[in-house]
mmCIF file with all atom_site columns, all heavy atoms in Angstrom:
data_model
loop_
_atom_site.group_PDB
_atom_site.id
_atom_site.type_symbol
_atom_site.label_atom_id
_atom_site.label_alt_id
_atom_site.label_comp_id
_atom_site.label_asym_id
_atom_site.label_entity_id
_atom_site.label_seq_id
_atom_site.pdbx_PDB_ins_code
_atom_site.Cartn_x
_atom_site.Cartn_y
_atom_site.Cartn_z
_atom_site.occupancy
_atom_site.B_iso_or_equiv
_atom_site.pdbx_formal_charge
_atom_site.auth_seq_id
_atom_site.auth_comp_id
_atom_site.auth_asym_id
_atom_site.auth_atom_id
_atom_site.pdbx_PDB_model_num
ATOM 1  N N   . VAL B 1 62 ? 109.011 114.369 103.156 1.00 96.00 ? 76 VAL B N   1
ATOM 2  C CA  . VAL B 1 62 ? 109.097 115.140 104.399 1.00 96.00 ? 76 VAL B CA  1
ATOM 3  C C   . VAL B 1 62 ? 110.563 115.384 104.718 1.00 96.00 ? 76 VAL B C   1
ATOM 4  O O   . VAL B 1 62 ? 111.364 114.444 104.784 1.00 96.00 ? 76 VAL B O   1
ATOM 5  C CB  . VAL B 1 62 ? 108.420 114.380 105.565 1.00 96.00 ? 76 VAL B CB  1
ATOM 6  C CG1 . VAL B 1 62 ? 108.573 115.167 106.862 1.00 96.00 ? 76 VAL B CG1 1
ATOM 7  C CG2 . VAL B 1 62 ? 106.952 114.143 105.250 1.00 96.00 ? 76 VAL B CG2 1
ATOM 8  N N   . GLU B 1 63 ? 110.919 116.646 104.911 1.00 95.00 ? 77 GLU B N   1
ATOM 9  C CA  . GLU B 1 63 ? 112.318 117.003 105.150 1.00 95.00 ? 77 GLU B CA  1
ATOM 10 C C   . GLU B 1 63 ? 112.709 116.699 106.596 1.00 95.00 ? 77 GLU B C   1
ATOM 11 O O   . GLU B 1 63 ? 112.254 117.368 107.529 1.00 95.00 ? 77 GLU B O   1
ATOM 12 C CB  . GLU B 1 63 ? 112.528 118.493 104.878 1.00 95.00 ? 77 GLU B CB  1
ATOM 13 C CG  . GLU B 1 63 ? 112.190 118.927 103.462 1.00 95.00 ? 77 GLU B CG  1
ATOM 14 C CD  . GLU B 1 63 ? 112.295 120.439 103.329 1.00 95.00 ? 77 GLU B CD  1
ATOM 15 O OE1 . GLU B 1 63 ? 113.389 120.977 103.596 1.00 95.00 ? 77 GLU B OE1 1
ATOM 16 O OE2 . GLU B 1 63 ? 111.287 121.093 102.975 1.00 95.00 ? 77 GLU B OE2 1
ATOM 17 N N   . LYS B 1 64 ? 113.579 115.739 106.780 1.00 94.00 ? 78 LYS B N   1
ATOM 18 C CA  . LYS B 1 64 ? 113.968 115.344 108.129 1.00 94.00 ? 78 LYS B CA  1
ATOM 19 C C   . LYS B 1 64 ? 114.776 116.410 108.849 1.00 94.00 ? 78 LYS B C   1
ATOM 20 O O   . LYS B 1 64 ? 114.770 116.492 110.079 1.00 94.00 ? 78 LYS B O   1
ATOM 21 C CB  . LYS B 1 64 ? 114.724 114.028 108.097 1.00 94.00 ? 78 LYS B CB  1
ATOM 22 C CG  . LYS B 1 64 ? 115.990 114.036 107.279 1.00 94.00 ? 78 LYS B CG  1
ATOM 23 C CD  . LYS B 1 64 ? 116.645 112.661 107.278 1.00 94.00 ? 78 LYS B CD  1
ATOM 24 C CE  . LYS B 1 64 ? 115.786 111.632 106.564 1.00 94.00 ? 78 LYS B CE  1
ATOM 25 N NZ  . LYS B 1 64 ? 116.438 110.304 106.475 1.00 94.00 ? 78 LYS B NZ  1
ATOM 26 N N   . ASP B 1 65 ? 115.486 117.258 108.097 1.00 95.00 ? 79 ASP B N   1
ATOM 27 C CA  . ASP B 1 65 ? 116.270 118.323 108.736 1.00 95.00 ? 79 ASP B CA  1
ATOM 28 C C   . ASP B 1 65 ? 115.394 119.490 109.151 1.00 95.00 ? 79 ASP B C   1
ATOM 29 O O   . ASP B 1 65 ? 115.804 120.315 109.961 1.00 95.00 ? 79 ASP B O   1
ATOM 30 C CB  . ASP B 1 65 ? 117.359 118.813 107.784 1.00 95.00 ? 79 ASP B CB  1
ATOM 31 C CG  . ASP B 1 65 ? 118.406 117.742 107.516 1.00 95.00 ? 79 ASP B CG  1
ATOM 32 O OD1 . ASP B 1 65 ? 118.612 116.902 108.420 1.00 95.00 ? 79 ASP B OD1 1
ATOM 33 O OD2 . ASP B 1 65 ? 118.990 117.741 106.432 1.00 95.00 ? 79 ASP B OD2 1
ATOM 34 N N   . LYS B 1 66 ? 114.211 119.565 108.576 1.00 96.00 ? 80 LYS B N   1
ATOM 35 C CA  . LYS B 1 66 ? 113.310 120.661 108.906 1.00 96.00 ? 80 LYS B CA  1
ATOM 36 C C   . LYS B 1 66 ? 112.372 120.258 110.045 1.00 96.00 ? 80 LYS B C   1
ATOM 37 O O   . LYS B 1 66 ? 112.046 121.057 110.898 1.00 96.00 ? 80 LYS B O   1
ATOM 38 C CB  . LYS B 1 66 ? 112.487 121.056 107.692 1.00 96.00 ? 80 LYS B CB  1
ATOM 39 C CG  . LYS B 1 66 ? 111.529 122.195 107.949 1.00 96.00 ? 80 LYS B CG  1
ATOM 40 C CD  . LYS B 1 66 ? 110.934 122.716 106.682 1.00 96.00 ? 80 LYS B CD  1
ATOM 41 C CE  . LYS B 1 66 ? 110.126 123.961 106.982 1.00 96.00 ? 80 LYS B CE  1
ATOM 42 N NZ  . LYS B 1 66 ? 110.959 125.052 107.537 1.00 96.00 ? 80 LYS B NZ  1
ATOM 43 N N   . PHE B 1 67 ? 111.950 119.031 110.039 1.00 97.00 ? 81 PHE B N   1
ATOM 44 C CA  . PHE B 1 67 ? 111.023 118.521 111.049 1.00 97.00 ? 81 PHE B CA  1
ATOM 45 C C   . PHE B 1 67 ? 111.778 117.503 111.909 1.00 97.00 ? 81 PHE B C   1
ATOM 46 O O   . PHE B 1 67 ? 111.839 116.316 111.591 1.00 97.00 ? 81 PHE B O   1
ATOM 47 C CB  . PHE B 1 67 ? 109.802 117.891 110.388 1.00 97.00 ? 81 PHE B CB  1
ATOM 48 C CG  . PHE B 1 67 ? 109.002 118.846 109.549 1.00 97.00 ? 81 PHE B CG  1
ATOM 49 C CD1 . PHE B 1 67 ? 109.142 118.875 108.173 1.00 97.00 ? 81 PHE B CD1 1
ATOM 50 C CD2 . PHE B 1 67 ? 108.113 119.731 110.145 1.00 97.00 ? 81 PHE B CD2 1
ATOM 51 C CE1 . PHE B 1 67 ? 108.410 119.767 107.401 1.00 97.00 ? 81 PHE B CE1 1
ATOM 52 C CE2 . PHE B 1 67 ? 107.366 120.627 109.381 1.00 97.00 ? 81 PHE B CE2 1
ATOM 53 C CZ  . PHE B 1 67 ? 107.520 120.646 108.004 1.00 97.00 ? 81 PHE B CZ  1
ATOM 54 N N   . LEU B 1 68 ? 112.337 118.006 113.007 1.00 96.00 ? 82 LEU B N   1
ATOM 55 C CA  . LEU B 1 68 ? 113.149 117.168 113.880 1.00 96.00 ? 82 LEU B CA  1
ATOM 56 C C   . LEU B 1 68 ? 112.264 116.465 114.896 1.00 96.00 ? 82 LEU B C   1
ATOM 57 O O   . LEU B 1 68 ? 111.495 117.100 115.604 1.00 96.00 ? 82 LEU B O   1
ATOM 58 C CB  . LEU B 1 68 ? 114.196 118.022 114.597 1.00 96.00 ? 82 LEU B CB  1
ATOM 59 C CG  . LEU B 1 68 ? 115.171 118.798 113.695 1.00 96.00 ? 82 LEU B CG  1
ATOM 60 C CD1 . LEU B 1 68 ? 116.137 119.598 114.549 1.00 96.00 ? 82 LEU B CD1 1
ATOM 61 C CD2 . LEU B 1 68 ? 115.927 117.863 112.777 1.00 96.00 ? 82 LEU B CD2 1
ATOM 62 N N   . ILE B 1 69 ? 112.400 115.157 114.954 1.00 94.00 ? 83 ILE B N   1
ATOM 63 C CA  . ILE B 1 69 ? 111.581 114.364 115.873 1.00 94.00 ? 83 ILE B CA  1
ATOM 64 C C   . ILE B 1 69 ? 112.490 113.658 116.861 1.00 94.00 ? 83 ILE B C   1
ATOM 65 O O   . ILE B 1 69 ? 113.470 113.014 116.480 1.00 94.00 ? 83 ILE B O   1
ATOM 66 C CB  . ILE B 1 69 ? 110.716 113.358 115.098 1.00 94.00 ? 83 ILE B CB  1
ATOM 67 C CG1 . ILE B 1 69 ? 109.659 114.112 114.289 1.00 94.00 ? 83 ILE B CG1 1
ATOM 68 C CG2 . ILE B 1 69 ? 110.059 112.367 116.057 1.00 94.00 ? 83 ILE B CG2 1
ATOM 69 C CD1 . ILE B 1 69 ? 108.867 113.240 113.354 1.00 94.00 ? 83 ILE B CD1 1
ATOM 70 N N   . ASN B 1 70 ? 112.124 113.802 118.136 1.00 91.00 ? 84 ASN B N   1
ATOM 71 C CA  . ASN B 1 70 ? 112.872 113.157 119.192 1.00 91.00 ? 84 ASN B CA  1
ATOM 72 C C   . ASN B 1 70 ? 111.919 112.341 120.051 1.00 91.00 ? 84 ASN B C   1
ATOM 73 O O   . ASN B 1 70 ? 110.879 112.828 120.478 1.00 91.00 ? 84 ASN B O   1
ATOM 74 C CB  . ASN B 1 70 ? 113.582 114.217 120.063 1.00 91.00 ? 84 ASN B CB  1
ATOM 75 C CG  . ASN B 1 70 ? 114.435 113.581 121.125 1.00 91.00 ? 84 ASN B CG  1
ATOM 76 O OD1 . ASN B 1 70 ? 113.933 113.108 122.145 1.00 91.00 ? 84 ASN B OD1 1
ATOM 77 N ND2 . ASN B 1 70 ? 115.725 113.547 120.893 1.00 91.00 ? 84 ASN B ND2 1
ATOM 78 N N   . HIS B 1 71 ? 112.267 111.088 120.301 1.00 89.00 ? 85 HIS B N   1
ATOM 79 C CA  . HIS B 1 71 ? 111.422 110.199 121.112 1.00 89.00 ? 85 HIS B CA  1
ATOM 80 C C   . HIS B 1 71 ? 112.312 109.590 122.181 1.00 89.00 ? 85 HIS B C   1
ATOM 81 O O   . HIS B 1 71 ? 112.646 108.402 122.137 1.00 89.00 ? 85 HIS B O   1
ATOM 82 C CB  . HIS B 1 71 ? 110.810 109.139 120.202 1.00 89.00 ? 85 HIS B CB  1
ATOM 83 C CG  . HIS B 1 71 ? 109.710 108.353 120.821 1.00 89.00 ? 85 HIS B CG  1
ATOM 84 N ND1 . HIS B 1 71 ? 108.819 107.607 120.067 1.00 89.00 ? 85 HIS B ND1 1
ATOM 85 C CD2 . HIS B 1 71 ? 109.331 108.178 122.099 1.00 89.00 ? 85 HIS B CD2 1
ATOM 86 C CE1 . HIS B 1 71 ? 107.955 107.005 120.865 1.00 89.00 ? 85 HIS B CE1 1
ATOM 87 N NE2 . HIS B 1 71 ? 108.241 107.339 122.103 1.00 89.00 ? 85 HIS B NE2 1
#
Side-chain angles (χ1 to χ4, degrees):
Chain B
V76 178
E77 301 174 58
K78 60 182 66 176
D79 294 331
K80 180 169 187 62
F81 299 100
L82 301 180
I83 292 173
N84 183 283
H85 193 163

